[in-house]
Amino acid sequence: MSTDEFIDLRSDTVTRPSDAMRDAARNADVGDDVYRDDPTVTELERRAADAVGMEAALYTPSGTMANQTAVKVHTEPGQELLLDRESHIYRWELAGASMLSGVQTRTIDAGDRCVPSPEAVERELVAEDLHRPGTGLMALENTHNYRGGVAVPKSRIDAAAAAAHDAGVSVHLDGARLFNASVALDEPAPALVDGVDSVTFCLSKGLGAPVGSILAGSEAFIEEARRVRKLFGGGMRQAGMIAAPGVLALENVGRLATDHANAARLAAGLDDLPGVSVPEPDTNIVVADTEAAGIPAADFVDACAAVGVGCGEFDTYTTRFTTHLDVDAEDVDAAVDRVAGVVTEHGA
Ligand SMILES: *Cc1c(COP(=O)(O)O)cnc(C)c1O
């Protein structure tokens, strides 16, 4: 990458499809997937189900649709959905759970551990009675995006899920970056999700596909999810064109380790800058705190963009940088150099 090029660390969604993905799209065998006639979509769904060790899977246009479909299938209107107050489903999906499924959210502070303890789950679950709606679903997240790409160990997911199951409540895992967690924890993805009933993961983030996510679960769950996807307007026709790159994306799991190494390099470089504090990342998300430098995140993001580094405002003084397959170690070093200039110019 030449030195004047924009280094886009806003998100791992910004990756461009590889030549192989473009060729795969062009040459894909297709049919009308609403009639279940698209062999490429069917192949993607089979491989995706295997990748997470679930019976069946459904291809959706986005992770948001996959999550919201799961919420709708698992719940009845008027029930509660229990989830972390910093979770994507609660925070970044436009109140979809209430709009689309008519459920009331009950948030819990899962703290640094990102998943509530079994005691907290037991305390917050609501049993149905004359006055109370009952909890229909608990949702967990791994890696946890807003808490900094934290890879949540299997034991924590399993303990929280078991507490919900003991009360007869189903569990969905928002695993948009499940494979980042799997690589970071050196734990196979199926093991990370064997305690939950359904899982979402994104093909269009670190795995590099241009479009799409997966919802996986039991055969019966996915049959119902297919109807809900249609209801939400997500029934697609010759979707093999976009599913074919998704098949290739599943082969990119191993390379996520490179993104994690680049994120660690970036975090160390930024943490060395005066007034910038950056915890060591678990995966590919780096969260920089610029409060000691006296630079609000909104200004920091603008100043970084002006010197050719893309990042995103997370909170008043925190900014997110994300590594992905279109940036290498050289780009990371160049980004740190440019951000150093920003801190010198704007820092207290
Ligand atoms: C990105 C993301 C989603 C949503 O995926 P989209 O494809 O952008 O709709 C859901 N959950 C988490 C944790 C995410 O990071």
Side-chain angles (χ1 to χ4, degrees):
M1 182 177 275
S2 73
T3 49
D4 54 354
E5 226 170 298
F6 188 71
I7 303 170
D8 198 347
L9 303 172
R10 286 173 303 166
S11 174
D12 47 8
T13 55
V14 302
T15 54
R16 310 286 162 83
S18 63
D19 287 343
M21 286 183 177
R22 290 167 195 262
D23 287 344
R26 179 175 175 76
N27 298 319
D29 252 345
V30 295
D32 187 330
D33 185 53
V34 172
Y35 293 123
R36 308 195 63 171
D37 280 349
D38 192 303
T40 307
V41 173
T42 303
E43 184 191 350
L44 172 63
E45 291 176 342
R46 186 181 47 76
R47 288 189 190 215
D50 288 348
V52 291
M54 293 270 181
E55 270 175 24
L58 184 73
Y59 182 48
T60 62
S62 70
T64 300
M65 189 185 284
N67 280 337
Q68 294 300 330
T69 297
V71 172
K72 180 109 181 135
V73 176
H74 283 299
T75 60
E76 297 293 331
Q79 286 188 318
E80 287 197 1
L81 164 61
L82 180 66
L83 73 187
D84 175 38
R85 69 178 167 89
E86 306 295 7
S87 63
H88 196 281
I89 293 176
Y90 178 64
R91 213 182 147 122
W92 306 108
E93 298 185 13
L94 291 158
S98 64
M99 300 279 286
L100 303 168
S101 298
V103 295
Q104 163 164 288
T105 45
R106 175 174 297 270
T107 60
I108 190 165
D109 185 353
D112 296 335
R113 304 182 316 164
C114 303
V115 162
S117 66
E119 297 72 31
V121 172
E122 281 165 30
R123 198 171 56 238
E124 298 296 333
L125 289 176
V126 170
E128 184 184 327
D129 69 13
L130 180 61
H131 302 282
R132 309 201 72 189
T135 304
L137 177 67
M138 178 172 76
L140 306 174
E141 187 170 316
N142 198 13
T143 64
H144 200 300
N145 177 10
Y146 194 72
R147 294 187 187 274
V150 175
V152 185
K154 171 178 166 56
S155 58
R156 294 227 192 273
I157 300 277
D158 286 354
H165 286 153
D166 283 349
V169 173
S170 297
V171 181
H172 174 69
L173 180 76
D174 177 358
R177 297 185 182 82
L178 178 72
F179 293 101
N180 293 86
S182 166
V183 166
L185 297 165
D186 195 18
E187 183 90 70
L192 284 177
V193 303
D194 70 5
V196 303
D197 303 291
S198 60
V199 60
T200 293
F201 70 86
C202 293
L203 297 164
S204 59
K205 291 185 173 163
L207 301 181
V211 184
S213 286
I214 295 292
L215 175 61
S218 69
E219 294 275 5
F221 173 84
I222 293 299
E223 271 316 297
E224 186 55 26
R226 192 175 294 279
R227 295 186 76 234
V228 171
R229 183 187 65 174
K230 190 75 175 69
L231 170 68
F232 289 170
M236 297 179 284
R237 305 300 181 174
Q238 286 72 37
M241 298 290 293
I242 50 174
V247 172
L248 295 182
L250 289 173
E251 287 164 21
N252 278 338
V253 169
R255 62 151 307 285
L256 294 173
T258 306
D259 294 348
H260 300 174
N262 287 336
R265 188 182 181 98
L266 177 66
L270 295 177
D271 190 57
D272 278 346
L273 304 179
V276 181
S277 142
V278 186
E280 201 180 312
D282 280 1
T283 57
N284 69 327
I285 292 175
V286 172
V287 181
D289 186 319
T290 51
E291 186 162 13
I295 315 176
D299 300 342
F300 187 59
V301 169
D302 286 348
C304 288
V307 297
V309 176
C311 49
E313 184 181 346
F314 234 26
D315 213 331
T316 314
Y317 283 102
T318 52
T319 298
R320 186 184 81 163
F321 298 78
T322 311
T323 56
H324 51 76
L325 52 65
D326 287 354
V327 291
D328 58 19
E330 216 181 305
D331 298 324
V332 163
D333 293 345
V336 171
D337 278 351
R338 294 181 197 181
V339 177
V342 167
V343 174
T344 307
E345 196 182 327
H346 298 264

